Amino acid sequence: MTTNVPVIDAHPTVPGLPKNYLNCSRGFMSWAGTLDHKRIGIMYLIGTLLTFLAGGVFALLVRLHLWEPHGMLFTNEKYNQIFTLHGAFMVFLFVIPAIPGALGNMVLPLMLGAKDVALPRLNLLSFYLWLSGAVLATLAIVLGGFDTGWTFYAPYSLYTNQAVVTIGLAIFLLGFSSIFTGLNFIVTTHKLRAAGLTWFRMPLFVWAIYATAILQVLATPVLGITVLLVAFERLYHIGIFDPRLGGDPVLFEHFFWFYSHPAVYIMVLPAFGIISETVSVHSRKPLFGYKLIAFSSLAIAIISFLVWGHHMFTSGQSTYAMFAFSFLTFFVAIPTAIKEFSWVATIWKGSIALNSPMLYTLAFLIIFAIGGLTGVILGALNVDLHLHDTYFVVAHFHYVMMGSIALAFFAGLHHWWPKMFGVIYDETLAKIACGIIFVGFNITFVPQFIMGSQGMPRRYATYVDEFHGYHQVSTIGAMILGSGVALMVYYLVASLLQRKPAMENQWGGVTLDWQTPTPPPLENFYAPPKVTHEVYDYSTLDLKTLQRPVS
Amino acid sequence: MIALLTQDPQAPVNYVANPAPAPVLDKWGQLPELASTFDHVDGLFYFTYIVCIFFFFLILGVLLFSVVKYRRKTWDQPAASNVTHNTPLEVVWTVIPLIIVMVMFAWGFKGCLDMTTVPHEASRNTYVATAKQWAWDFKYPNGSTSTNEVWLVVGKPVQFYLESTDVLHAFFLPSMRVKRDIIPGRFQSVWFTPTITGEFHLFCAEYCGKDHSRMYAQAHVVTQAEFDKEPWNPPIDETNLQSLIENGKRIFGQQCVTCHTVNGTGSVGPTWKGLFTKQGDQYVGRQREVIEGGQKKTITVDDAYIIESIKQPDQKKVAESPYDRNTMSSFANLDDKRIKCLIAYIKSLADN
Ligand SMILES: [Cu+2]
Ligand SMILES: [Cu+2]
C-alpha cells in the first residue's frame, strides 16, 4: 500500500459544479486584463518558468563549454556573455520574482481568507513591469548581449561596448515590479486577514512573504538608483564610479551589495515559507517552534541589511569594517540554523507522507544544510580571503539559490499544483524527477566546492589542466540535472492535458488555502471564513472526509 | 597551464619548466599544499569543515531516521506527537551554534589581522604588480621587470603593491592563501612569506573582461642564490643565433602568446607562422595587406615592419578580418635586444 495515495477520495472536483477562477471567463483579455490574484499568479508562473528554462539552457551551455580546459564551444567573449545571461536571467527574472510573484500571489490571499490582494490594479502593474523587464532583457541579447557578470561591477561595466544600459533599464523596471509586489503584500497582510486570524495564527508562508516584502520595499530602491547611476555614468560621464573621472568603483560595490545581500533573503525567505508549510502538512504535525521561526524571519530581514560588506572582504576595506561585517554574518547564521533545526524537529515523530512535495522538501532540507554550512565557512575572514571569487563561492550560492530556493519553489509548485489547477500530476514521474534533480544537482556542485578550495577562480572561460576532471564531473552532473528538470516540465504540462482530477484537500492541509473549493472560485471563498483554531492544528482534521469541520 | 594560455593546446610553447599535472580527482575537501606562513587559514578551514560535517550528518541522520520510522503507513495516520515547542531544546540549539560561530569569528579575525599587518621585513622587500587587461607586469625591488612570471625568494617576506591600469582585477595566489582586489586609483597591497620552493599559480580572481581567464602568471619561489642570478633577465648572447631564438621563444611565451600563435591558427592576432619563408638560407617576408592612415596597401614583411608592429602597432594594421578589428597594445618597453630575439624566433618558425 503506497502511503501517500489517499484511500478516500471524498471530494473529487466534478465538472459542472459552480465555476472556478479558471473557467469563469474566457478570452485573451480576461487574462491580460485580469485583476484576480490567482490569474496574475498563473501568468507569473508561466513567465518565471520560461525564464528559468532559458537561464537553465545558458547554464548547460556554460557547463558544456567547460568540458575542455581551453573551452569547447565559444570564444571567451561569447562565454562571458553566456554566463552573464545565465546569472542575470536566473537572479533578476526567476529567483527574485518567482516565489512571491507566482506562489505568493496565488496563495497569500487564500491563506489570509481574503478575496484578493489589497491593491489588485497595482498587482497587475507589477506583472506588466516584470514582463517589460523580461522583454528588455531579451532585447539586450538581441542588441549584442552584455558581458559584465550579473554584478555589473564598475568600471568594467562602464567601459565595455555592450548593451549595459538596456539591461540596466530592464533591472530598473524589475525592481519596481518587486517593490510594488512587496507593498501590496504588506498592505494585504495588515488589512485583509480573516476574522479570527491573529498574527500568530498566520501560516508561516505568510510571515515569510511579509518579511520578504519589507526587504523588497526597503532594499530594492538602492538597486534602482545604482543601475540608473551606471546608465548615467555610461551616457553622460558624471564621474561617480569611473576612476578615470575621479569616481570610486568600490562605492559601486557597496551600493550593489547593500541591495544584493538583502536580495539573497528576498530570494530565500519565501523559500523558507514554503518549506514551513510543506514540512508541516506532509508530516501532519504543527510546526515546531512556530514563534521562533516567525521571529527569525524578521530577525533575518533586519540583520541582512548590515552584512553586505562580506562580499567585499578582499576589496581592502578597513579592518574595523571587516570585524563588524564578519561578526554580523556569523550572527545571521543563527536564525537560519534555528529554522533548519525546527523543520527537522517538525518531521521528527510526524506522520511523514513520502509524496513528491515532501521529497522536494527533504531534498531542500539536505541541500540547504550544505548551503548554509558552507556559508559559515565563507564568513570566516581569513578563510574567505582564500575562497572569495572561487568556485567554492559559486557552489555555495548554487546550493542556496538553485538547490534550496528552486527546490523549495518546486516543492511549493507540487504542493499547490492541485489547488491551482484542480488536477494532479503523475506522482511516479514526479518522484523520479525529484531523485534525478537531487542526484544531478549534487554531482554538479560538489566538485565545484573541491575545485574552489583548490583555487579555481570563477568566471573563467578556460582553466588550468589540473581542474579538468572536476569540471568534467560537474558538466555530467549538469546534464543529469537538466534532464530531471525537463522531465518535471513534461509531467506538469502533461497533467494539464490529461486532467486527472485532484481532490478538494489533496494533502490534508488545515490552513485556509485548503478550506476553499479546488480550484477556488473567483472570489476565493463562498462565505467569509472565520478562524477559530490555532494554525497547523491537525487534531481538527477529519481524516475520513478530509474536511476540517467548518466553524 | 599551457592550455590556459593558448586557444590551442598543441601550441608548441613549453618555456615553463614543469609540465601541467594530469587531471586528478584525489583532492576531496583539501586546500592546495600550503606554501606560505598563513597556516591559520588551513587551521580554521579544517576546523569549520569538521564542524560542518558533524552538523550535516546530524541533520541527515535525524531526517533519515524519522523518514524510516515515522513514515505514513495509512492515509489517516496521525502524527506520533503533537509537540509544538520545547524551550530548553530551542535554547540549546541557539546557544551552542552561537558559541561555535563566535569561536570561528574570533579565529578568523585574528588570522585576518595577521594577513593585513605588514611586518618590517616584508615592507623592505617590495614588488609592484601591475595588472592590465590581460597581463601581469612585475617590478622587483631593484627596479628590473618581468611579465607574467615572477620570482620570489623562499623564506623571505615579501610585499606586493598592487596597481591596475584599467578595470578591477584581483591578485590571487592560492598556494599562499593570498587574495586582494586591485582597484584602479586605489592603493592596495598584500604580503606573505613563501615557505617552499616551486612553481605556483597566480590567477586574476576578479572578472575583468574578455581574457580574464587567460590573465595568468606563474610565481617561481627559488633560493636566494638562484634569485640573485635574475632568471627573469637571462643573459642574451647576441652572437649566438640559438640563444636569440630561445630567448625569443621565452618572451613570446610571456608576452605575446595570449594573442598570437606559432602553429598557423589565428587567435586574437594573426599567427606568426608563415610571416617568413625560407629560400636557400635566406628568410623572405610574405606579402601583407595593411591599412596605414586609412589607406590599404601591400607591403613585404621585414624586420622594420616587425619592429614597427611591436612598438607602434596602430601604424600599420593588418587588413585581414578579424585582426583589423582587434588591437594590440604597444610594447615600446621591449629593448632592441629582445626585439632581435623575437625576430630571430619568428624567422626560425620557417626552419622546418
Ligand atoms: Cu551576502
Ligand atoms: Cu580578471
Side-chain angles (χ1 to χ4, degrees), chain A residues 334-396:
Chain A
I334 300 302
T336 314
I338 290 175
K339 280 175 189 276
E340 174 89 14
F341 291 144
S342 305
W343 292 321
V344 174
T346 306
I347 291 181
W348 175 259
K349 293 201 171 182
S351 160
I352 302 162
L354 285 185
N355 48 36
S356 52
M358 189 57 166
L359 288 181
Y360 278 108
T361 305
L362 291 172
F364 167 95
L365 289 175
I366 294 169
I367 288 175
F368 183 66
I370 300 177
L373 288 166
T374 49
V376 171
I377 299 184
L378 287 169
L381 276 172
N382 59 352
V383 178
D384 183 74
L385 292 185
H386 174 62
L387 295 176
H388 179 75
D389 267 337
T390 66
Y391 264 63
F392 193 93
V393 175
V394 174
H396 158 69

Side-chain angles (χ1 to χ4, degrees), chain A residues 3 76 147 248 284 289 292 314 349 351-352 382 385-386 388-389 453-454 459-460 462 466 543-544, chain B residues 28 30 32 40 70 72 75-77 80 84 90 179-181 186 188 201 204 206-207 211-213:
Chain A
T3 53
N76 279 13
D147 65 343
D248 183 359
R284 197 168 283 161
L292 213 54
T314 62
K349 293 201 171 182
S351 160
I352 302 162
N382 59 352
L385 292 185
H386 174 62
H388 179 75
D389 267 337
S453 44
Q454 291 283 314
R459 297 177 167 174
Y460 263 29
T462 55
E466 65 198 64
L543 290 168
K544 288 290 174 257
Chain B
W28 295 87
Q30 289 170 33
H40 47 77
Y70 304 112
R72 193 182 290 170
W75 166 241
D76 52 3
Q77 174 184 326
T84 56
E90 287 171 68
K179 185 181 295 111
R180 183 54 62 100
D181 292 358
R186 273 215 187 190
Q188 296 276 59
H201 300 310
C204 173
E206 182 63 65
Y207 177 67
D211 281 334
H212 168 52
S213 67

Side-chain angles (χ1 to χ4, degrees), chain A residues 534-549:
Chain A
E534 292 311 311
V535 65
Y536 308 124
D537 182 356
Y538 293 91
S539 64
T540 58
L541 188 70
D542 180 354
L543 290 168
K544 288 290 174 257
T545 60
L546 277 182
Q547 288 294 297
R548 193 181 182 169

Side-chain angles (χ1 to χ4, degrees), chain A residues 458-460, chain B residues 132-134 136 167-170 203-209 211-215:
Chain A
R458 67 192 281 201
R459 297 177 167 174
Y460 263 29
Chain B
K132 58 179 187 215
Q133 284 169 323
W134 295 274
W136 296 95
V167 298
L168 300 179
H169 302 277
F203 295 118
C204 173
E206 182 63 65
Y207 177 67
C208 56
D211 281 334
H212 168 52
S213 67
R214 298 206 182 104
M215 190 166 156

